[in-house]
Amino acid sequence: MIHQYTDYSLLPHNTFGMDVKAASFIEYTSEDDLRRLLDERRRMQAADPLLPIGGGSNLLFSGDFCGTVLHSAIRGIDVVREDDRFVWVKAGAGEVWDDFVACCVSRGWYGAENLSAIPGEVGASAVQNIGAYGAEVKDLITEVEAVEVSTSEVVHIQADECRYAYRQSIFKNDWKGRFIITYVTYRLGKSPEFHIDYGNLCAELEGKPLTLSTVREAVRRIRDSKLPDPRKQGNAGSFFMNPVVERSHFEQLRALYPSMPFYEVDAAHVKIPAGWMIDQCGWKGRSLGRAGVHDKQALVLVNRGGATGAEVMALAKAVQADVKARFGIDIHPEVNYI
Ligand SMILES: Cc1cc2nc3c(=O)[nH]c(=O)nc-3n(C[C@H](O)[C@H](O)[C@H](O)COP(=O)(O)OP(=O)(O)OC[C@H]3O[C@@H](n4cnc5c(N)ncnc54)[C@H](O)[C@@H]3O)c2cc1C
């Protein structure tokens, strides 16, 4: 089934709470519907821009979108293969990511629990390479099924072709705009294997039995206590990616800032939390116009009410400039500017 709307409000479709419209908004419930509507666009020689979205939790609209927004309502979570150790589960792009995690936890499938409560949908998980609490979805994905926009052909893309890296994939780079993801297949474990040595997860679990449910609940509690709820205050989670810098640069900085936190990347590189640098620059809790830096988590930019995309972008620019001036490091948005 295909539902099509014109001059459509995107307010319920972006967690930043931008009050913008799309010239056209189309939702489809099957891969065949998607192929048909792409065929039709070619037949009509439609030239307006296309934007596939999921839950809109990583988008920042600078204004109305003059093209067609496509939203997948393809559902389904099905076991496609299993052996003694693993189960391969194929999920529709339109499934809510956290519903998928809840399903894995209830079925006793291991691997997705640390990624509990990340907003958004299954399709975007494969674009964004979502990650949290030491886990990244690239370690679960085995195959991405997608439709090629220019031909309507269905393609099966193996995980090793997706060029996954920290919050990166080929879908955000070389293949941006080329495919619309319809299904993602994940491989989950059948026997207990937990990774709780990240952040305060271990402390949060102290005194509790180690199960899929307790890990999921602990992750949810920590996230609730740290991150603003987009239903109450517009935001898109971490606004910037944590920069990876040369070890020599890091050592110079550490001489000046001995408490600077860091994560080892490899022999030559170190990752520095962008939120710490933003905090050091005095931005935590501050505002510029109606956009602000969250008062508990400096990595999160928020809409304090009625902010425009331009206001959030101006704040991001000011923050980036201060971090560059103080630490000599460029920080880049994780959020997709539209
Ligand atoms: C409060 C909060 C907390 C967050 N915490 C985390 C976190 O811990 N870790 C993390 O990694 N992220 C986090 N995020 C960011 C966000 O949840 C993820 O980036 C998520 O994957 C976005 O999913 P979405 O469905 O909302 O995608 P959207 O924001 O709608 O789209 C994201 C990108 O994917 C593309 N896209 C979407 N669907 C498709 C499709 N079917 N085919 C092709 N391209 C598509 C879009 O064009 C866009 O480029 C957080 C966000 C919020 C608001």
Side-chain angles (χ1 to χ4, degrees):
M1 206 182 296
I2 296 174
H3 299 285
Q4 185 156 7
Y5 310 89
T6 49
D7 202 24
Y8 184 83
S9 172
L10 294 173
L11 189 55
H13 295 277
N14 76 100
T15 59
F16 243 123
M18 295 299 148
D19 192 5
V20 294
K21 285 181 174 175
S24 170
F25 183 94
I26 303 179
E27 190 168 70
Y28 50 90
T29 54
S30 74
E31 193 168 73
D32 281 344
D33 287 337
L34 172 61
R35 298 178 70 197
R36 259 195 299 278
L37 75 87
L38 291 173
D39 285 346
E40 181 64 7
R41 277 178 61 86
R42 271 196 305 282
R43 202 181 60 76
M44 304 282 290
Q45 298 187 328
D48 63 326
L50 265 189
L51 174 68
I53 65 163
S57 59
N58 210 239
L59 306 177
L60 177 59
F61 288 97
S62 59
D64 290 343
F65 185 69
C66 62
T68 297
V69 170
L70 287 178
H71 182 239
S72 164
I74 300 176
R75 296 276 151 72
I77 299 177
D78 299 301
V79 174
V80 288
R81 186 181 149 201
E82 61 186 304
D83 63 19
D84 292 347
R85 295 172 58 209
F86 299 107
V87 56
W88 283 258
V89 184
K90 181 173 170 178
E95 287 288 345
V96 170
W97 168 257
D98 195 51
D99 291 351
F100 172 74
V101 178
C103 173
C104 294
V105 167
S106 71
R107 301 282 297 266
W109 299 331
Y110 295 82
E113 58 282 358
N114 287 27
L115 303 174
S116 290
I118 297 180
E121 297 175 0
V122 158
S125 74
V127 176
Q128 303 285 107
N129 182 23
I130 53 172
Y133 298 97
E136 278 186 305
V137 80
K138 73 173 174 54
D139 297 323
L140 303 177
I141 292 175
T142 58
E143 186 181 284
V144 174
E145 185 169 322
V147 174
E148 184 156 25
V149 171
S150 62
T151 60
S152 300
E153 288 302 311
V154 175
V155 293
H156 294 89
I157 303 159
Q158 302 311 301
D160 58 7
E161 298 172 77
C162 296
R163 297 208 202 134
Y164 284 126
Y166 167 59
R167 300 295 184 276
Q168 291 296 336
S169 71
I170 197 161
F171 306 108
K172 286 184 95 172
N173 295 294
D174 292 6
W175 289 354
K176 193 173 171 67
R178 183 167 165 194
F179 296 106
I180 295 176
I181 295 171
T182 47
Y183 292 94
V184 183
T185 302
Y186 307 90
R187 191 190 74 167
L188 297 141
K190 285 182 163 178
S191 41
E193 193 184 326
F194 294 105
H195 300 278
I196 59 164
D197 49 351
Y198 196 91
N200 40 356
L201 191 49
C202 195
E204 186 68 29
L205 281 158
E206 210 178 302
K208 301 193 178 68
L210 199 52
T211 68
L212 281 169
S213 302
T214 55
V215 174
R216 173 167 166 77
E217 288 314 314
V219 169
R220 290 170 68 92
R221 274 196 304 280
I222 301 172
R223 294 181 66 97
D224 281 353
S225 70
K226 277 191 178 168
L227 290 167
D229 179 348
R231 286 166 303 185
K232 295 182 185 145
Q233 192 169 45
N235 74 90
S238 303
F239 195 92
F240 299 102
M241 290 183 281
N242 291 320
V244 173
V245 301
E246 300 276 336
R247 189 172 289 276
S248 53
H249 187 171
F250 165 70
E251 295 298 354
Q252 284 167 10
L253 287 171
R254 201 148 70 139
L256 293 171
Y257 305 97
S259 64
M260 183 176 230
F262 65 98
Y263 305 104
E264 294 290 347
V265 174
D266 56 36
H269 298 96
V270 169
K271 191 188 279 181
I272 301 177
W276 182 86
M277 292 190 283
I278 296 167
D279 193 3
Q280 293 293 306
C281 292
W283 274 106
K284 199 190 241 181
R286 269 176 65 194
S287 297
L288 198 62
R290 290 167 292 183
V293 177
H294 190 243
D295 47 6
K296 283 193 202 153
Q297 174 52 273
L299 198 52
V300 177
L301 302 193
V302 294
N303 178 352
R304 298 222 189 271
T308 60
E311 280 175 279
V312 178
M313 288 172 195
L315 170 64
K317 223 171 155 183
V319 168
Q320 284 171 302
D322 280 2
V323 168
K324 177 78 178 177
R326 182 151 182 180
F327 298 101
I329 293 176
D330 289 306
I331 53 170
H332 299 287
E334 178 180 329
V335 171
N336 298 279
Y337 286 12
I338 311 290

